[in-house]
Amino acid sequence: MVANKEAILQVKGLKTHFFTKRGVSKAVDGIDFTVNKGETLGIVGESGCGKSMTSLSILRLIPSPPGKITDGEIIFKGKDILALPEDEMRKIRGNEISMIFQEPMTSLNPVIPVGNQIAEAISLHQKVKKKDAWKKAVEMLRLVGIPSPEKRAKQEPFQLSGGMRQRVMIAMALSCNPEVLIADEPTTALDVTIQAQILELIKDLQTKLGMSVILITHDLGVVAETCDTVAVMYAGNIVEYATTEQLYENPKHPYTQGLLESLPKINEDQEELRTIEGSVPSPYNMPQGCRFASRCPYQRSLCHEQPPTLVESSDGSKVSCWKYTDQWVDQAMHRGVLN
């Protein structure tokens, strides 16, 4: 891991649970990560692993009830934002920490011109006159590459293409010059060409504005292109935490290995893509031991008995797997099997 960097956001032991008639769903169940100034952290995992709930927890936007942040700290510039009163949190949300939501058509008001929606955010946080807020809204649309921004600012979301709506969301998120930008699957509904443009735009704006980015995605190709550090999530836990280079050169957790092996290889003639056998456990009934154990090719009895913790490897990366502990080695040697 990269050392001696200045952290702007630290998540410690975060737990976000949902209390329903079916039981308690442990959507996020004790995770830790750090976002350094000017860097991009990727949070990766399949659907339902807790990525989006993590981002909503940071902004304290969990629907309550049934959701509740039950434990942990989120340290932003030295303050635990989970302990702040709501009026102080509103000054941070959308201003110092901003978010690009997954689907712009459900995030934008369908009957208000997009320029007005951006200007409203600017007026709220920057305390400027409506005329000045409108000018800045148009400038933000120009900054994110929307042609004829004065005209587009007066249009409603349905009059814009999917790529333009996503650019409007980026403009809104960046309108108050945030120090941390959370991008939740910002290219999911877009075609490949527009995806590349949006990701390049975020990278360019990050360089210009010096902000930190949390990029939430299931696309490992996107991670390779954009992220400095990666947290791999599975069933509400972080199972591997490493620099992007470490993750691709030497993936340690069997789940990470499975994700990378499932990608198509350009230099191989593959009739079928590799898959990870089995299915994700129910968030209402998590296994006693490792949550990946039933799908893992290296599973031992220890894996089903006790949950592993995130431990640091010799290269500075972190992995939550019994395979990298002395206890695993002792058990394997006792059985005469070591792999």
Side-chain angles (χ1 to χ4, degrees):
M1 300 293 290
V2 180
N4 301 320
K5 294 282 186 177
E6 186 178 356
I8 189 167
L9 182 74
Q10 293 175 289
V11 174
K12 301 179 180 180
L14 178 65
K15 293 184 179 182
T16 301
H17 295 173
F18 287 79
F19 299 85
T20 71
K21 292 179 180 178
R22 289 181 59 189
V24 180
S25 172
K26 299 177 180 179
V28 179
D29 201 26
I31 64 170
D32 302 84
F33 61 81
T34 299
V35 182
N36 293 320
K37 283 191 174 181
E39 292 189 347
T40 300
L41 168 73
I43 301 180
V44 184
E46 58 198 301
S47 297
C49 70
K51 306 185 301 294
S52 293
M53 283 303 119
T54 298
S55 64
L56 292 174
S57 298
I58 292 172
L59 289 172
R60 283 173 46 180
L61 290 174
I62 297 297
S64 179
K68 185 179 181 182
I69 298 173
T70 61
D71 200 5
E73 297 177 303
I74 300 175
I75 310 299
F76 176 62
K77 299 198 298 187
K79 289 184 179 180
D80 182 6
I81 59 178
L82 294 182
L84 295 178
E86 180 57 29
D87 60 335
E88 287 190 44
M89 188 62 208
R90 277 196 294 266
K91 295 175 183 177
I92 294 174
R93 189 189 298 126
N95 187 27
E96 296 178 75
I97 304 176
S98 201
M99 185 166 175
I100 304 169
F101 291 92
Q102 197 168 126
E103 175 46 60
M105 274 307 283
T106 59
S107 304
L108 293 169
N109 190 313
V111 296
I112 296 178
V114 295
N116 288 13
Q117 296 187 53
I118 298 171
E120 183 181 6
I122 295 168
S123 297
L124 177 66
H125 292 295
Q126 302 294 305
K127 309 299 182 185
V128 296
K129 295 179 180 178
K130 286 186 177 181
K131 184 178 179 181
D132 294 329
W134 176 264
K135 284 183 180 178
K136 185 167 184 183
V138 172
E139 283 305 308
M140 291 307 302
L141 292 177
R142 183 175 286 110
L143 180 66
V144 298
I146 290 181
S148 306
E150 294 87 354
K151 174 185 173 184
R152 298 297 184 184
K154 297 174 183 177
Q155 293 181 326
E156 295 169 8
F158 75 89
Q159 296 175 285
L160 305 177
S161 67
M164 280 196 182
R165 287 195 295 266
Q166 195 62 279
R167 288 171 187 265
V168 169
M169 288 297 298
I170 295 172
M172 186 180 295
L174 298 179
S175 61
C176 296
N177 300 322
E179 294 179 66
V180 177
L181 174 68
I182 302 172
D184 185 5
E185 303 272 12
T187 61
T188 297
L190 306 177
D191 65 58
V192 176
T193 304
I194 302 301
Q195 280 186 29
Q197 292 176 4
I198 295 294
L199 291 170
E200 191 62 36
L201 173 63
I202 292 173
K203 283 175 66 176
D204 288 345
L205 294 174
Q206 180 182 21
T207 302
K208 288 178 184 177
L209 303 175
M211 64 186 175
S212 304
V213 175
I214 299 174
L215 178 64
I216 295 170
T217 183
H218 61 269
D219 190 331
L220 288 165
V222 168
V223 169
E225 290 291 325
T226 59
C227 298
D228 301 292
T229 311
V230 187
V232 181
M233 286 193 75
Y234 182 81
N237 291 156
I238 290 176
V239 296
E240 188 160 358
Y241 187 49
T243 65
T244 305
E245 184 177 357
Q246 288 169 338
L247 193 84
Y248 281 83
E249 289 188 358
N250 184 26
K252 294 181 174 63
H253 198 279
Y255 177 61
T256 310
Q257 293 168 1
L259 288 178
L260 291 171
E261 287 171 1
S262 68
L263 295 174
K265 308 295 189 296
I266 296 175
N267 58 348
E268 291 183 20
D269 184 14
Q270 294 175 282
E271 292 186 4
E272 293 184 2
L273 294 177
R274 295 185 180 92
T275 60
I276 301 174
E277 298 298 326
S279 58
V280 180
S282 166
Y284 295 99
N285 187 26
M286 291 294 185
Q288 179 179 335
C290 173
R291 294 177 181 182
F292 188 67
S294 63
R295 307 175 73 185
C296 181
Y298 308 109
Q299 61 181 286
R300 296 281 185 269
S301 59
L302 176 63
C303 303
H304 295 275
E305 294 163 1
Q306 300 176 44
T309 56
L310 204 63
V311 295
E312 189 165 330
S313 302
S314 57
D315 62 359
S317 64
K318 296 180 180 179
V319 61
S320 176
C321 181
W322 284 118
K323 192 178 178 185
Y324 297 92
T325 66
D326 293 337
Q327 196 169 350
W328 170 279
V329 174
D330 291 344
Q331 187 186 83
M333 290 181 68
H334 178 71
R335 297 181 178 205
V337 179
L338 185 62
N339 57 22

